[in-house]
Amino acid sequence: MPKVTFLQRDGTPSEVNAAVGDSVMETAIDNDIEGIVAECGGACSCATCHVYVENDWLDKLPPPDSLEDGMLDCVIDRRPNSRLSCQIRVSDEIDGIVVRVPASQI
């Protein structure tokens, strides 16, 4: 089973098991990760599941599509590694991915 590590503002890690096919956002919600609110339930329409993907993992993900890119324009402190966790699908290829929860969401 793939693992996802969520880093909080202070660097505290939470490593959790994730089901292949679920989104990183669903994994966060299922594991009570602080700062991932997901108000829209994963419809890519609220940006309350914003995360920073650690740089080592960026090349393993497809780039954001135009809908996600537009929603990312709404987040506080957008960075080159900003993604919406509802748009990242868990797979064996990203087993061990590390994402940081933005301080603005905590």
Side-chain angles (χ1 to χ4, degrees):
M1 180 170 269
K3 299 215 182 286
V4 177
T5 299
F6 296 90
L7 299 176
Q8 292 298 325
R9 170 181 40 192
D10 65 359
T12 302
S14 295
E15 184 181 90
V16 298
N17 291 322
V20 170
D22 281 358
S23 69
V24 171
M25 179 272 304
E26 290 168 316
T27 302
I29 297 300
D30 290 347
N31 289 280
D32 299 319
I33 300 298
E34 183 181 1
I36 304 295
V37 179
E39 289 177 356
C40 73
C44 196
S45 63
C46 73
T48 60
C49 67
H50 175 221
V51 294
Y52 300 120
V53 176
E54 293 293 290
N55 290 330
D56 294 346
W57 294 96
L58 286 174
D59 290 340
K60 295 176 174 54
L61 300 175
D65 64 18
S66 60
L67 181 61
E68 180 182 1
D69 188 55
M71 285 308 305
L72 285 167
D73 285 339
C74 300
V75 303
I76 296 171
D77 194 20
R78 181 179 181 168
R79 300 178 186 173
N81 61 337
S82 287
R83 293 297 301 265
L84 297 182
S85 60
C86 67
Q87 299 302 297
I88 303 171
R89 289 281 158 207
V90 174
S91 66
D92 289 328
E93 291 74 31
I94 65 165
D95 180 18
I97 190 169
V98 179
V99 299
R100 184 173 298 276
V101 180
S104 61
Q105 289 176 199
I106 299 172

